[in-house]
Amino acid sequence: MKIRRYKKVNKSLGFFANNFGFRQPYQLLVDGTFCLAALNNKINVANDVPKYLQSEVKLITTPCAIMETENLGPKLNGALAILKNYVVHKCGHERRPVTGSACIGSMVSGENSSHYIVCTQDRDLQEKLRNLPGVPLLYLHTKTPVLEQPCEVSLQRAQEKASVINCTELEKVHKMKKQAGLAVQEEVKPKRRKKKGPNPMSCKKKQRKVQNNPIQKKESRPDMEKRKKVRIPQHVRQEMLKRTVQKICQETT
């Protein structure tokens, strides 16, 4: 099961790296709900998450996420202590702080140009992030981290980018050909296929015509048939000789 899970992770990270420019070390944007779930399940985020992703990571949070965790009371003091160990990025809400979900949503808006991987257990925030292209989502399922597969919006945006890149590459190739004097002005017309004869394997073999030649072949007649030779046994021949001799003797006498 571990090998299959790591293959899925590598496939998802490869997708975001090839289509949206993600590079190591990956920036993990963490909120208080993720730290609370890690504390309850006894998961060390700094050690277990890099092992799961098999790559270098950089754990990041925002001032709004820290303030929201502080306002939720002493039950989240452990999650708050974990969250304060991470690098704090400026989110632009210093004067008017907002909720952690709104802050994270604003940081990954558009096409997530900063290439954040969002780590959250907030279901509402997860649903919003699934509608944004190029935003990987990481959450905890009991004691195992899970990197969600790319959503449909990300897949569609990747296809659009691929088609645009192909068109631009073709234009560059045509320009380079024109500069080198290799461009063909006249359009090459497709060759028309000639009509082919019937398949010789499917045709019947030609039957030879029988010519009536009287010289080569004579008509068969019953009187011209060869007579079969009748062999006379030897004892019958001897008898016949004896009789003929007797007749000759009688005639002489």
Side-chain angles (χ1 to χ4, degrees):
M1 292 296 291
K2 288 184 178 179
I3 295 172
R4 188 179 297 176
R5 184 173 63 189
Y6 289 140
K7 283 183 178 180
K8 288 183 179 179
V9 172
N10 291 331
K11 186 177 180 180
S12 299
L13 290 175
F15 171 81
F16 287 108
N18 295 328
N19 296 293
F20 296 97
F22 280 68
R23 294 291 181 271
Q24 293 189 35
Y26 297 116
Q27 298 187 90
L28 271 62
L29 188 58
V30 187
D31 66 352
T33 59
F34 189 84
C35 293
L36 180 62
L39 185 64
N40 293 334
N41 293 306
K42 298 180 181 180
I43 294 174
N44 190 344
V45 177
N47 293 331
D48 295 341
V49 174
K51 287 181 182 178
Y52 171 69
L53 297 177
Q54 296 180 336
S55 56
E56 297 179 0
V57 299
K58 185 178 180 181
L59 298 170
I60 300 167
T61 189
T62 63
C64 295
I66 293 173
M67 289 183 66
E68 184 184 34
T69 309
E70 286 178 350
N71 295 331
L72 291 174
K75 292 182 179 180
L76 297 178
N77 286 338
L80 180 63
I82 297 171
L83 198 62
K84 285 183 177 180
N85 292 327
Y86 303 151
V87 179
V88 180
H89 269 207
K90 291 183 179 180
C91 57
H93 305 126
E94 286 79 10
R95 294 183 180 180
R96 293 181 180 179
V98 296
T99 60
S101 60
C103 179
I104 290 173
S106 65
M107 292 187 72
V108 298
S109 60
E111 290 191 2
N112 192 12
S113 58
S114 298
H115 305 136
Y116 293 120
I117 298 176
V118 180
C119 304
T120 182
Q121 298 293 115
D122 189 351
R123 296 293 180 86
D124 295 334
L125 179 59
Q126 289 176 2
E127 290 297 328
K128 290 179 181 178
L129 296 177
R130 289 187 183 103
N131 295 321
L132 297 176
V135 182
L137 182 61
L138 182 70
Y139 56 87
L140 295 175
H141 181 68
T142 60
K143 292 187 178 183
T144 57
V146 177
L147 180 66
E148 194 170 83
Q149 294 182 0
C151 59
E152 293 183 1
V153 180
S154 297
L155 294 172
Q156 290 177 359
R157 186 58 58 88
Q159 289 180 355
E160 292 174 359
K161 285 185 176 182
S163 62
V164 171
I165 290 169
N166 291 333
C167 293
T168 53
E169 286 180 353
L170 287 173
E171 290 178 358
K172 288 180 181 178
V173 170
H174 286 304
K175 287 181 180 179
M176 292 172 68
K177 283 184 176 181
K178 287 181 180 179
Q179 291 175 0
L182 299 173
V184 180
Q185 295 181 358
E186 296 181 357
E187 294 182 356
V188 179
K189 295 183 179 180
K191 294 182 179 180
R192 293 183 179 179
R193 293 183 178 179
K194 296 180 180 180
K195 290 184 178 180
K196 296 181 179 180
N199 188 0
M201 299 298 291
S202 64
C203 297
K204 293 182 179 180
K205 293 183 178 179
K206 293 182 178 180
Q207 295 180 355
R208 295 180 180 178
K209 294 181 179 180
V210 180
Q211 295 180 356
N212 296 324
N213 194 345
I215 299 170
Q216 293 180 356
K217 292 185 179 180
K218 296 181 179 180
E219 293 181 359
S220 60
R221 296 179 183 177
D223 56 348
M224 300 203 43
E225 290 180 358
K226 291 183 179 180
R227 295 178 181 178
K228 291 182 180 181
K229 293 182 179 180
V230 180
R231 289 184 179 182
I232 301 170
Q234 192 174 2
H235 67 280
V236 176
R237 289 180 181 177
Q238 291 176 357
E239 289 292 332
M240 292 175 69
L241 285 171
K242 286 180 181 181
R243 290 180 182 180
T244 53
V245 171
Q246 289 176 1
K247 284 182 181 180
I248 294 168
C249 292
Q250 288 177 3
E251 289 176 356
T252 54
T253 56

